[in-house]
Amino acid sequence: MLDARPGSVYTGPVHIAIVGAGHIGGNAARLWSRAGHDVMICFSRDPGQLQARAAELGDHVTAATPGYAVAGADVVMLAVPWDAIDQALGEAGPLAGKVVLDATNPYGTAPTPAAGHTVAEFNSARMPGARYVRGFNTLTSGFQAEASARPRDERAVLFICGDYPTAKTTIAQLIEDAGFEPVDLGSNHDAAVMESPRRPGSVYGEEYRLPEALAVADAVAHGRDILPPPMYDLDRGNA
Ligand SMILES: NC(=O)c1ccc[n+]([C@@H]2O[C@H](COP(=O)([O-])OP(=O)(O)OC[C@H]3O[C@@H](n4cnc5c(N)ncnc54)[C@H](OP(=O)(O)O)[C@@H]3O)[C@@H](O)[C@H]2O)c1
């Protein structure tokens, strides 16, 4: 349950609706169920199989329609293909007041942000009143599944951005519960380094651990270019 005190996060299981429980959303459902959160999955081309999918994902995972799942959720994760976002948001219903975690990337044929604008700016404008946070979008689902059980000092970083500090605090705690280190790259506008595609000067597609990720956050905050991504020795967990 979310705690309403300013700056605090949660004191018990969070009610999480996952809109699109495929590779990214299904993996998050599994990890958050394992951490004891109440997860409801929704939005499928074959709704009849969602209950079985929920059972497969964990003891704390159930299935519902998007409207029902989102209405009862504190946190809503959007993890659908780019071209299905309008339909997903339409079926989800009002998001005002909800913490919304957007994992989508703009691969598809639907309109994308204009030059100089981020997906975070573009998509947050499609969700009036939502406490929008972008995250879980820079690393593959396979990597996220494999890296979630590491010891703390070898944890991979999941970057976030957004314009609502308290919502980012909530998502940061959920990222820790999932087995990763959260690092905040600032506002929806500032976090262009989180956007696809993989390219020099971005964190998209790259593994970071906490010290190097904090250096990225500092560079972004001060308008500097970021250093090339680190190479980690997986045997020793050192850069
Ligand atoms: N895969 C990755 O490594 C990765 C990494 C970072 C970010 N992302 C982003 O995360 C989002 C989800 O990616 P994903 O790989 O998890 O996708 P996915 O495996 O294809 O999952 C998509 C989910 O959306 C549901 N869905 C409902 N209606 C749909 C429709 N009309 N068309 C397609 N799917 C529909 C699917 O359910 P049914 O199959 O039951 O219909 C499924 O649960 C994308 O925006 C992607 O760019 C992906």
Side-chain angles (χ1 to χ4, degrees), residues 19-25 43-46 49-50 79-82 84 87 103-107 136-142 144 204:
V19 183
H23 289 93
I24 283 288
F43 192 61
S44 169
R45 288 159 295 185
D46 180 8
Q49 56 76 44
L50 266 186
V80 303
W82 187 255
Q87 187 192 343
T104 66
N105 285 315
Y107 294 111
F136 284 72
N137 71 300
T138 64
L139 295 167
T140 66
S141 58
Q144 292 185 37
Y204 184 86

Side-chain angles (χ1 to χ4, degrees), residues 181-205:
E181 289 288 349
V183 169
D184 180 4
L185 290 183
S187 71
N188 288 340
H189 179 73
D190 292 336
V193 296
M194 285 175 65
E195 304 291 357
S196 63
R198 194 176 187 187
R199 65 199 185 280
S202 90
V203 301
Y204 184 86

Side-chain angles (χ1 to χ4, degrees), residues 29-228:
R30 189 176 282 115
L31 297 176
W32 285 327
S33 171
R34 198 177 293 164
H37 296 297
D38 288 326
V39 179
M40 208 172 258
I41 62 169
C42 63
F43 192 61
S44 169
R45 288 159 295 185
D46 180 8
Q49 56 76 44
L50 266 186
Q51 197 58 59
R53 173 89 174 125
E56 175 190 300
L57 290 171
D59 293 342
H60 300 281
V61 186
T62 54
T65 63
Y68 185 89
V70 167
D74 303 307
V75 173
V76 178
M77 181 185 210
L78 182 66
V80 303
W82 187 255
D83 288 353
I85 293 177
D86 276 345
Q87 187 192 343
L89 293 179
E91 292 187 27
L95 292 168
K98 309 279 183 193
V99 175
V100 176
L101 170 62
D102 177 14
T104 66
N105 285 315
Y107 294 111
T109 57
T112 53
H117 292 272
T118 61
V119 165
E121 292 174 289
F122 185 81
N123 277 353
S124 61
R126 303 161 86 176
M127 306 176 199
R131 301 182 186 287
Y132 177 96
V133 179
R134 182 149 169 74
F136 284 72
N137 71 300
T138 64
L139 295 167
T140 66
S141 58
F143 180 87
Q144 292 185 37
E146 171 264 293
S148 61
R150 293 185 183 171
R152 187 163 279 274
D153 62 346
E154 292 177 21
R155 281 184 167 192
V157 163
L158 292 185
F159 291 102
I160 56 173
C161 71
D163 295 342
Y164 291 90
T166 310
K168 286 196 282 192
T169 306
T170 299
I171 297 299
Q173 192 170 338
L174 285 173
I175 286 173
E176 287 197 42
D177 290 349
F180 301 92
E181 289 288 349
V183 169
D184 180 4
L185 290 183
S187 71
N188 288 340
H189 179 73
D190 292 336
V193 296
M194 285 175 65
E195 304 291 357
S196 63
R198 194 176 187 187
R199 65 199 185 280
S202 90
V203 301
Y204 184 86
E206 310 293 350
E207 177 183 350
Y208 279 84
R209 296 190 193 161
L210 195 55
E212 294 78 21
L214 291 174
V216 169
D218 187 63
V220 170
H222 292 94
R224 298 192 307 270
D225 290 340
I226 66 174
L227 293 171

